[in-house]
PDB file of all heavy atoms in Angstrom:
ATOM      1  N   TYR A 750      18.309  11.550 -26.133  1.00  0.00           N
ATOM      2  CA  TYR A 750      18.877  12.210 -27.329  1.00  0.00           C
ATOM      3  C   TYR A 750      20.375  12.415 -27.169  1.00  0.00           C
ATOM      4  O   TYR A 750      21.167  12.112 -28.086  1.00  0.00           O
ATOM      5  CB  TYR A 750      18.152  13.529 -27.557  1.00  0.00           C
ATOM      6  CG  TYR A 750      18.891  14.541 -28.397  1.00  0.00           C
ATOM      7  CD1 TYR A 750      19.251  14.259 -29.726  1.00  0.00           C
ATOM      8  CD2 TYR A 750      19.234  15.784 -27.871  1.00  0.00           C
ATOM      9  CE1 TYR A 750      19.934  15.204 -30.488  1.00  0.00           C
ATOM     10  CE2 TYR A 750      19.907  16.722 -28.628  1.00  0.00           C
ATOM     11  CZ  TYR A 750      20.258  16.429 -29.927  1.00  0.00           C
ATOM     12  OH  TYR A 750      20.933  17.355 -30.689  1.00  0.00           O
ATOM     13  N   TYR A 751      20.810  12.915 -26.014  1.00  0.00           N
ATOM     14  CA  TYR A 751      22.227  13.160 -25.796  1.00  0.00           C
ATOM     15  C   TYR A 751      23.033  11.872 -25.880  1.00  0.00           C
ATOM     16  O   TYR A 751      24.185  11.864 -26.347  1.00  0.00           O
ATOM     17  CB  TYR A 751      22.444  13.815 -24.433  1.00  0.00           C
ATOM     18  CG  TYR A 751      22.006  15.272 -24.359  1.00  0.00           C
ATOM     19  CD1 TYR A 751      21.635  15.837 -23.144  1.00  0.00           C
ATOM     20  CD2 TYR A 751      21.983  16.078 -25.493  1.00  0.00           C
ATOM     21  CE1 TYR A 751      21.234  17.167 -23.063  1.00  0.00           C
ATOM     22  CE2 TYR A 751      21.587  17.404 -25.429  1.00  0.00           C
ATOM     23  CZ  TYR A 751      21.207  17.945 -24.206  1.00  0.00           C
ATOM     24  OH  TYR A 751      20.821  19.261 -24.129  1.00  0.00           O
ATOM     25  N   ILE A 752      22.447  10.761 -25.432  1.00  0.00           N
ATOM     26  CA  ILE A 752      23.149   9.473 -25.475  1.00  0.00           C
ATOM     27  C   ILE A 752      23.116   8.875 -26.871  1.00  0.00           C
ATOM     28  O   ILE A 752      24.152   8.493 -27.429  1.00  0.00           O
ATOM     29  CB  ILE A 752      22.538   8.507 -24.445  1.00  0.00           C
ATOM     30  CG1 ILE A 752      22.804   9.005 -23.020  1.00  0.00           C
ATOM     31  CG2 ILE A 752      23.089   7.097 -24.631  1.00  0.00           C
ATOM     32  CD1 ILE A 752      22.048   8.246 -21.945  1.00  0.00           C
ATOM     33  N   SER A 753      21.924   8.791 -27.470  1.00  0.00           N
ATOM     34  CA  SER A 753      21.789   8.123 -28.775  1.00  0.00           C
ATOM     35  C   SER A 753      22.497   8.881 -29.887  1.00  0.00           C
ATOM     36  O   SER A 753      22.980   8.275 -30.845  1.00  0.00           O
ATOM     37  CB  SER A 753      20.316   7.929 -29.127  1.00  0.00           C
ATOM     38  OG  SER A 753      19.644   9.180 -29.200  1.00  0.00           O
ATOM     39  N   ASP A 754      22.568  10.214 -29.770  1.00  0.00           N
ATOM     40  CA  ASP A 754      23.241  11.011 -30.806  1.00  0.00           C
ATOM     41  C   ASP A 754      24.641  11.435 -30.399  1.00  0.00           C
ATOM     42  O   ASP A 754      25.260  12.281 -31.059  1.00  0.00           O
ATOM     43  CB  ASP A 754      22.404  12.253 -31.131  1.00  0.00           C
ATOM     44  CG  ASP A 754      21.186  11.941 -31.983  1.00  0.00           C
ATOM     45  OD1 ASP A 754      20.533  10.915 -31.709  1.00  0.00           O
ATOM     46  OD2 ASP A 754      20.874  12.701 -32.912  1.00  0.00           O
ATOM     47  N   SER A 755      25.155  10.844 -29.313  1.00  0.00           N
ATOM     48  CA  SER A 755      26.535  11.080 -28.857  1.00  0.00           C
ATOM     49  C   SER A 755      26.852  12.565 -28.710  1.00  0.00           C
ATOM     50  O   SER A 755      27.864  13.070 -29.209  1.00  0.00           O
ATOM     51  CB  SER A 755      27.539  10.427 -29.821  1.00  0.00           C
ATOM     52  OG  SER A 755      27.315   9.044 -29.922  1.00  0.00           O
ATOM     53  N   VAL A 756      25.975  13.277 -28.021  1.00  0.00           N
ATOM     54  CA  VAL A 756      26.177  14.709 -27.793  1.00  0.00           C
ATOM     55  C   VAL A 756      27.069  14.891 -26.565  1.00  0.00           C
ATOM     56  O   VAL A 756      26.695  14.515 -25.462  1.00  0.00           O
ATOM     57  CB  VAL A 756      24.826  15.435 -27.594  1.00  0.00           C
ATOM     58  CG1 VAL A 756      25.064  16.933 -27.386  1.00  0.00           C
ATOM     59  CG2 VAL A 756      23.908  15.201 -28.786  1.00  0.00           C
ATOM     60  N   ARG A 757      28.256  15.450 -26.779  1.00  0.00           N
ATOM     61  CA  ARG A 757      29.207  15.642 -25.679  1.00  0.00           C
ATOM     62  C   ARG A 757      28.968  16.981 -24.973  1.00  0.00           C
ATOM     63  O   ARG A 757      28.221  17.832 -25.437  1.00  0.00           O
ATOM     64  CB  ARG A 757      30.641  15.597 -26.204  1.00  0.00           C
ATOM     65  CG  ARG A 757      30.969  14.369 -27.056  1.00  0.00           C
ATOM     66  CD  ARG A 757      30.931  13.086 -26.251  1.00  0.00           C
ATOM     67  NE  ARG A 757      31.247  11.929 -27.068  1.00  0.00           N
ATOM     68  CZ  ARG A 757      32.470  11.420 -27.203  1.00  0.00           C
ATOM     69  NH1 ARG A 757      33.484  11.978 -26.593  1.00  0.00           N
ATOM     70  NH2 ARG A 757      32.657  10.345 -27.960  1.00  0.00           N
ATOM     71  N   GLY A 758      29.645  17.126 -23.845  1.00  0.00           N
ATOM     72  CA  GLY A 758      29.597  18.386 -23.124  1.00  0.00           C
ATOM     73  C   GLY A 758      28.338  18.583 -22.292  1.00  0.00           C
ATOM     74  O   GLY A 758      28.009  19.717 -21.930  1.00  0.00           O
TER      75      GLY A 758
END
Side-chain angles (χ1 to χ4, degrees):
Y750 159 61
Y751 287 154
I752 293 170
S753 60
D754 284 42
S755 301
V756 181
R757 308 294 180 93

